[in-house]
Amino acid sequence: MITWKWILAASLLIPVSTLAQQKSHQENSAAADQQPSVQLVSASDSAPAPAPVKAAPATMDQVVNLAIQREHTLMSLLRTRTPLVETYLQNLQRDPQFGAVPKDDRYFLGRLDLAASVERRDYLSKDESFEKNLLGGFGKLFKMEYNPMGFSWMIFADREDFDRNHYDFKYIRREFLGDVRCFVFDVTPKKDSGKGRFLGRIWVEDEDFNIVRLNGTYAPRPKNAYFFHMDSWRLNLIPGYWLPAYIYSEEGDFSYGSKDKLAFKAQTRIWGYDLKKKAQENELASITVDSVKDESVAAADPSPLEAQREWQQQAEDNVVERLHEAGLLAPPGDVDKILQTVVNNLMVTNNIELPRPVHARVMLTSPLETFSVGNTIAISRGLIDVLPDESCLAMVLSHELAHIILGHNLGSKFAFTDRMLFSDQATYQNFGFKHSPEEEAAADAKALELLKKSPYTNKLDSVSLFLKELSKRAPELSALLTPHLGNSFTGDKGQLIRMSALMTSGPELSPGKLDQIAALPLGGRLKVNPWDDQVEMVKAAPVMIISARDKMPFEVTPFFPHLTRFEGGSSVATTTAANTQPKK
Ligand SMILES: [Zn+2]
């Protein structure tokens, strides 16, 4: 039996600003004195060597020069990277009780190519035009149809001309963002410096003089088009560099009498910067594995049933590895152990023994989905985020565990490795782990049985409330509820079908009741390390809910990561390649 923080947090909303990426450590400054404060990511990397910062700047003018220089160095580094970029957007409408609430939503997932021009290859669209450079002219970019490229553009202030010829910089003040002391500057485009220039504020950290946050928009605004406002955050995940990680965008005015038609809020997340390098490491790792003797050979030859299970294991391993390579599945980590503990609780109390162990992994994407392949259960980051407590997590996992127990996951076609050979962008076209409606119903029935006999049986009220809230919000959140690999929570008409039997019992859903938290906003549970894709639980103190508008179930909220400097031994950084760590 586990005691998990979720139980304590069950009736308390996780705050909106909880995406701190690293533990707070400040020992770095001592080490920085003995070495150039800016280092290469690795000797073998194709990124050009950044010029080390020589002496501390004496004036704000020099700080600006260094910040401009560092911005161009960052662009050079990222030229060899193709991180994933995900944008989830909620269009808003006014609600008398809850303020601005989602009326519909959109979802984009793609791979950024930061080479010559910013390009975005989409995971979701089969439309070839997505493959082409979407950065035609600025006028086309930020129209009402939310070109996804528009959101990923905001990772830099100005890719082309970020310099003193095009911009004026005005020093404002010093300010701490998390643990990091920053110089704050207002940035304005010079007169007649061209269209689509950055207009806003930058925060420059005071050791290596990298930009760590950008907040503003682009100007001048072209006719019939919008430039979105953005708040763009970077994280210090490798020595000397701050990598774009989160962008929050919001438009709309809900004050009385406003005629603003465009109203939305959107979260853009970037991760998978180190995916290419991971693949190279795997090549080296396989040599070590080959040299290990297979002890099991001496024991016995496999029986036909054992061979069948071995074959299924191979299929499962292939799929898990391929999803990891595509940047869709987090590497194994501590969150998996939490998930597996819940699975074990369900299995032990139901006396279930399986010939192969059950594993649980985290999908890195936002849409609420689960799927299982072989004995591996995957659950999306977005779904974990919105679950209010452990019993709801048990409900979600029990459904996939039921598929495993009922033998629904026998498709072993992925044991043939040629079926893994496709581009990362084509993952969603090549993989799919959907079950038939009959299997879904059978899994729900079995899951209910598992839950009833489990330690969660007395806590099904919160599960009931979660499903009621999901059912109520589902019509407005179809993009969030569209699964890409597994089955949907909802049916054709947007009605909730997954585990719907649990909705018939339990308390009434009372949106106005402040102590009833049926579902959480997105982003409150898990944080992803954008460099190596490791996930960990957010460590946030509960924040008191003051009005019903604070609940924001399933909604996106601004990012406010607690910034810290890279620290070689920190838990999120230990899995990056050894050569990215500072020399001691
Ligand atoms: Zn299912």
Side-chain angles (χ1 to χ4, degrees), residues 16-90:
V16 299
S17 51
T18 50
L19 284 144
Q21 277 293 320
Q22 292 189 16
K23 281 180 224 139
S24 162
H25 288 290
Q26 289 175 304
E27 300 113 51
N28 255 19
S29 51
D33 293 336
Q34 290 129 34
Q35 62 192 18
S37 51
V38 176
Q39 298 176 6
L40 276 175
V41 174
S42 81
S44 63
D45 208 351
S46 51
V53 178
K54 284 160 202 147
T59 64
M60 283 305 153
D61 238 29
Q62 289 170 2
V63 170
V64 168
N65 288 343
L66 288 168
I68 290 171
Q69 187 192 326
R70 293 300 303 154
E71 188 71 357
H72 288 100
T73 313
L74 177 70
M75 288 179 202
S76 305
L77 171 83
L78 295 186
R79 213 155 272 163
T80 58
R81 304 281 159 180
T82 55
L84 281 88
V85 55
E86 176 195 65
T87 299
Y88 177 59
L89 179 152
Q90 292 178 332

Side-chain angles (χ1 to χ4, degrees), residues 257-273:
S258 163
K259 291 195 177 80
D260 215 339
K261 290 258 171 58
L262 178 74
F264 73 86
K265 51 186 180 177
Q267 286 183 340
T268 297
R269 293 158 200 268
I270 305 167
W271 72 85
Y273 282 106

Side-chain angles (χ1 to χ4, degrees), residues 19 65 83 95 192 252 326 340 352 366 469 485 504 508 535 558 577:
L19 284 144
N65 288 343
D95 177 276
D192 301 324
Q340 262 157 243
I352 286 161
S366 288
E469 185 77 62
L485 292 171
T504 54
E508 287 272 301
V535 288

Side-chain angles (χ1 to χ4, degrees), residues 507-526:
E508 287 272 301
L509 187 67
S510 320
K513 232 174 123 189
L514 296 191
D515 60 351
Q516 188 191 80
I517 304 300
L520 303 182
L522 286 163
R525 288 277 182 220
L526 294 188

Side-chain angles (χ1 to χ4, degrees), residues 370-372 399-400 403 433 435-436 439-440 443-444 487 498:
T370 61
F371 68 89
S372 47
H399 175 91
E400 295 300 340
H403 280 307
F433 311 103
H435 292 286
S436 67
E439 285 185 346
E440 281 298 285
D444 273 355
N487 284 86
R498 175 89 57 96

Side-chain angles (χ1 to χ4, degrees), residues 185-299:
F185 296 92
D186 275 350
V187 181
T188 45
K190 284 192 190 294
K191 200 166 177 278
D192 301 324
S193 62
K195 274 185 186 169
R197 297 295 179 196
F198 177 71
L199 172 65
R201 186 163 282 194
I202 57 170
W203 283 254
V204 177
E205 47 92 15
D206 73 347
E207 276 182 25
D208 297 330
F209 308 99
N210 293 290
I211 297 176
V212 301
R213 183 186 180 191
L214 302 141
N215 175 299
T217 186
Y218 295 92
R221 180 179 143 171
K223 276 179 195 164
N224 306 320
Y226 286 90
F227 284 133
F228 299 156
H229 286 84
M230 59 147 182
D231 190 26
S232 177
W233 292 81
R234 297 174 179 179
L235 301 175
N236 191 194
L237 302 171
I238 51 171
Y241 291 96
W242 287 74
L243 301 169
Y246 306 116
I247 302 161
Y248 178 70
S249 321
E250 184 186 285
E251 294 295 334
D253 180 359
F254 283 96
S255 55
Y256 182 74
S258 163
K259 291 195 177 80
D260 215 339
K261 290 258 171 58
L262 178 74
F264 73 86
K265 51 186 180 177
Q267 286 183 340
T268 297
R269 293 158 200 268
I270 305 167
W271 72 85
Y273 282 106
D274 201 29
L275 280 173
K276 247 186 212 170
K277 193 176 280 173
K278 274 279 147 56
Q280 289 160 9
E281 279 164 24
N282 286 346
E283 280 163 31
L284 290 174
S286 62
I287 297 167
T288 330
V289 172
D290 288 344
S291 66
V292 177
K293 270 190 187 171
D294 185 357
E295 302 287 340
S296 64
V297 174

